[in-house]
Amino acid sequence: MKDTASDRPPAAEQTKPYHHRNLPAALRSAAADLVGERGPAGFSLREVARRAGVSHAAPAHHFGDTRGLLTSLAAEGFERLAAALAAASEEVDPVQRLRNCGRAYVNTALESPGHFAVIFQNDLLNEDDPDLQHHGTEAMMRLIESVEALRDEINPALDVDNAATMCWATMQGLVALTPTLDHITGEQGPTIDVVIDALCTLMLDGFRPR
Amino acid sequence: MKDTASDRPPAAEQTKPYHHRNLPAALRSAAADLVGERGPAGFSLREVARRAGVSHAAPAHHFGDTRGLLTSLAAEGFERLAAALAAASEEVDPVQRLRNCGRAYVNTALESPGHFAVIFQNDLLNEDDPDLQHHGTEAMMRLIESVEALRDEINPALDVDNAATMCWATMQGLVALTPTLDHITGEQGPTIDVVIDALCTLMLDGFRPR
DNA sequence: TGTACATCAGTGAACGCGCGTTCACTGATGTAC
DNA sequence: TGTACATCAGTGAACGCGCGTTCACTGATGTAC
């Protein structure tokens, strides 16, 4: 039972290695937590470094400045959204598929509040960042594909751009409103999932031909 | 032509009075400009005081702290929204009335970007502020009344709460998305008014019975 | 397999700055008599 | 109508703090030979 490495500190206290190996991801994660807790206004590079257990000058090596880190966070947010929409799009029935996308959107946003608090705040981001643009347009494409499938199924006259904007706006608006709605209705209000489904139903009815 | 007050400095340089008379409103206005320019993250009490031409300790006399001023700004935003929705609700045809409300919402938001940048950021506000709650619920009531009128006209089975949430979410989402949409589509994209009307049409169709 | 060296990732001290808050103050207003 | 005084609104100096950025540095890695 003798531990041949008994002179090493126990794992929990093991002196951390000089190199972090995956600092960019750790910094994004800390930033997401921080923004989720205090909003973009409560963000600071030093606090993020502190939470990642790293000296306050370290983030500059990877992201340059605050803007750079927040841009990377936003890009990751779009990446998550695109992935969630892709998974939701595996459903073959176009109507059900769009409902899935709606749920995926809101749930992703509520699971990643830090990311979504920053995603459309263009004044905080480097709008021309290739990663941001890539994942942003990828997410948008996923949504448009689902709307196209819906058009082919239920209404050839449906304007895809308008319908996609409608979906996106409705879900993003719902995300923005959720805390306020919760605050107003308190405990006895409907679950967020119920609201999502109700809004999807109203939306889908609006997409059908008359 | 002799100016009997020629020994006074000309009006433009007239030494400003010690008392401002309407400092709270001036501070809100400066705060709205500042937040509109730099977002909530770029806000500071000292910069607001500077823009209002007043010492940096003055705001504390009226608003206490940053939170207090931003809460007052948000309350004013809801007040403007409620007024705009009230004006839009004078239209007698319920369908046209809801379209008017949609336009009123988005236009008010785009005209008062500083106010709307802060309105749903609950983490920056004193959520229990009576003014905030009063104007907030007033705006919501205006919208609900318009949806009730619509229900009475076109679909007795319409769930008013869901439909009102739908309206609010869609318009707020559109406001949030607008800068990003503009950035993507550039000059050749549709005007915001065209998009509003298209979304209202889709929304209204969803509210009709099937 | 071993060694030398360039490159990379993170450190920690130092800087100057703008911030919020406090405080004793002063100028202006309005009210009681 | 005039005077005294309490209250209110704004001042400006002072404080301590956390911030972003810079910089010379050092520990670790990986590659060339």
Side-chain angles (χ1 to χ4, degrees):
Chain A
M1 275 303 192
K2 183 148 193 286
D3 182 5
T4 52
S6 57
D7 48 324
R8 277 203 251 119
E13 301 172 17
Q14 211 148 6
T15 56
K16 65 165 197 187
Y18 192 91
H19 284 262
H20 185 288
R21 290 293 178 181
N22 204 4
L23 187 53
L27 290 171
R28 266 192 302 270
S29 166
D33 289 350
L34 179 57
V35 174
E37 284 170 30
R38 303 193 200 161
F43 179 89
S44 91
L45 266 188
R46 284 175 100 117
E47 176 63 20
V48 166
R50 224 172 278 132
R51 289 177 179 220
V54 104
S55 92
H56 64 257
H61 283 278
H62 301 279
F63 297 107
D65 56 10
T66 300
R67 259 187 135 60
L69 176 46
L70 290 182
T71 300
S72 178
L73 186 64
E76 189 177 63
F78 276 124
E79 189 180 11
R80 290 185 185 187
L81 178 58
L85 290 177
S89 298
E90 286 176 7
E91 164 71 43
V92 291
D93 173 44
V95 171
Q96 197 55 42
R97 176 174 165 182
L98 200 72
R99 299 189 98 93
N100 282 1
C101 286
R103 278 194 219 103
Y105 191 106
V106 178
N107 287 333
T108 305
L110 297 181
E111 284 161 14
S112 305
H115 293 78
F116 275 70
V118 121
I119 239 174
F120 295 117
Q121 306 279 306
N122 293 332
D123 51 328
L124 299 177
L125 309 177
N126 296 319
E127 291 183 66
D128 299 331
D129 181 81
D131 258 39
L132 181 64
Q133 293 196 337
H134 171 247
H135 290 117
T137 52
E138 193 195 341
M140 173 151 254
M141 287 315 295
R142 292 278 161 276
L143 181 59
I144 285 178
E145 284 161 14
S146 290
V147 174
E148 282 169 345
L150 188 74
R151 174 201 57 195
D152 295 346
E153 172 89 0
I154 68 168
N155 183 1
L158 184 66
D159 181 313
V160 169
D161 283 348
N162 282 339
T165 302
M166 176 89 187
C167 288
W168 200 308
T170 304
M171 293 305 132
Q172 179 58 34
L174 182 55
V175 169
L177 253 56
T178 296
T180 301
L181 290 177
D182 286 352
H183 189 248
I184 291 172
T185 63
E187 288 297 309
Q188 70 274 26
T191 316
I192 180 71
D193 289 306
V194 174
V195 178
I196 298 171
D197 277 342
L199 296 204
C200 283
T201 301
L202 287 170
M203 204 166 59
L204 285 160
D205 283 349
F207 291 171
R208 294 197 162 88
R210 312 230 118 244
Chain B
M1 277 298 195
K2 186 152 190 287
D3 182 5
T4 53
S6 57
D7 49 324
R8 277 201 252 119
E13 301 171 18
Q14 211 147 6
T15 56
K16 64 165 198 188
Y18 191 91
H19 284 261
H20 186 288
R21 290 294 176 181
N22 203 4
L23 187 53
L27 290 171
R28 266 194 300 272
S29 166
D33 288 351
L34 179 57
V35 174
E37 284 169 31
R38 303 192 199 162
F43 179 89
S44 93
L45 268 188
R46 284 176 100 115
E47 176 64 19
V48 166
R50 225 172 279 132
R51 289 178 179 219
V54 104
S55 92
H56 63 257
H61 283 276
H62 301 278
F63 297 108
D65 57 10
T66 300
R67 258 188 136 58
L69 176 47
L70 289 182
T71 300
S72 178
L73 187 64
E76 188 176 61
F78 276 123
E79 190 180 10
R80 289 184 186 188
L81 179 58
L85 290 177
S89 298
E90 286 176 6
E91 164 71 44
V92 291
D93 173 42
V95 171
Q96 197 55 42
R97 175 174 166 184
L98 200 72
R99 300 190 97 93
N100 282 1
C101 286
R103 277 193 220 105
Y105 190 107
V106 178
N107 287 333
T108 305
L110 297 182
E111 284 162 13
S112 306
H115 292 79
F116 274 70
V118 122
I119 240 176
F120 294 117
Q121 305 280 306
N122 293 333
D123 51 327
L124 299 177
L125 310 177
N126 296 319
E127 292 184 63
D128 300 330
D129 181 81
D131 257 39
L132 181 65
Q133 293 195 338
H134 170 247
H135 290 116
T137 53
E138 193 195 342
M140 173 152 254
M141 289 313 298
R142 291 279 160 275
L143 180 59
I144 286 180
E145 285 161 12
S146 290
V147 174
E148 283 170 344
L150 187 73
R151 174 201 59 195
D152 296 345
E153 171 88 1
I154 67 166
N155 182 1
L158 183 67
D159 182 312
V160 169
D161 283 349
N162 283 339
T165 302
M166 176 88 187
C167 288
W168 199 309
T170 305
M171 292 307 131
Q172 179 59 34
L174 183 55
V175 169
L177 254 55
T178 295
T180 301
L181 290 178
D182 286 353
H183 188 247
I184 292 172
T185 63
E187 288 297 310
Q188 69 275 26
T191 314
I192 181 71
D193 289 306
V194 173
V195 178
I196 299 171
D197 278 341
L199 297 203
C200 284
T201 301
L202 286 171
M203 204 167 61
L204 285 160
D205 284 349
F207 292 170
R208 295 198 161 86
R210 312 229 118 245

